[in-house]
């Protein structure tokens, strides 16, 4: 479910230095938390995304950007393309999830 992926993504980013990680790290890190994923969901390319799983994580991230938990890519905070960074609101939520 998208809410579960969102919470897992916030917690994952919160656990990383400076609360940031590259998208590829997020896909792999979250994959371990969802053992029910099939090999096809994780490895078969899907539309313009790496995989169906990556697409689901990207949509969860989009919702978190809209809700103010992750900085949008256009902020210029990211050292390179594909680095996702928690906002202060996201850090607060990450602290709550890590308890």
């Amino acid at each position: 479910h998208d809410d579960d992926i969102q919470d897992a993504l916030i917690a994952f980013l919160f656990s990383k230095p400076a609360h940031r990680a590259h998208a590829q790290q997020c896909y792999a890190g979250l994959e371990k938390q969802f053992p029910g994923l099939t090999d096809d969901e994780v490895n078969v390319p899907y539309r313009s995304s790496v995989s169906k799983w990556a697409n689901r994580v990207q949509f969860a991230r989009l919702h978190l950007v809209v809700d103010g938990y992750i900085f949008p890519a256009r902020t210029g905070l990211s050292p390179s393309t594909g680095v996702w960074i928690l906002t202060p609101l996201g850090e607060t939520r990450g602290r709550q999830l890590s308890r």
Side-chain angles (χ1 to χ4, degrees):
H1 192 271
D2 192 61
D3 290 339
D4 296 330
I5 297 170
Q6 288 179 35
D7 283 347
L9 180 55
I10 289 173
F12 180 79
L13 289 171
F14 187 75
S15 73
K16 298 300 173 193
H19 308 300
R20 64 179 63 200
H22 193 277
Q24 294 295 333
Q25 291 174 297
C26 296
Y27 307 146
L30 295 184
E31 178 186 334
K32 298 171 188 168
Q33 297 179 44
F34 294 88
L37 293 170
T38 67
D39 189 56
D40 281 354
E41 287 175 307
V42 174
N43 296 309
V44 175
Y46 178 74
R47 296 186 183 178
S48 62
S49 183
V50 176
S51 66
K52 199 173 262 191
W53 172 242
N55 184 264
R56 289 174 64 192
V57 175
Q58 290 164 2
F59 268 106
R61 177 201 166 268
L62 176 62
H63 294 138
L64 291 171
V65 168
V66 169
D67 292 341
Y69 292 100
I70 293 178
F71 284 109
R74 67 183 176 276
T75 62
L77 294 173
S78 179
S80 65
T81 304
V83 175
W84 298 350
I85 307 167
L86 289 180
T87 65
L89 181 63
E91 291 174 10
T92 299
R93 181 69 180 136
R95 205 169 290 108
Q96 293 168 344
L97 290 169
S98 67
R99 292 182 185 156

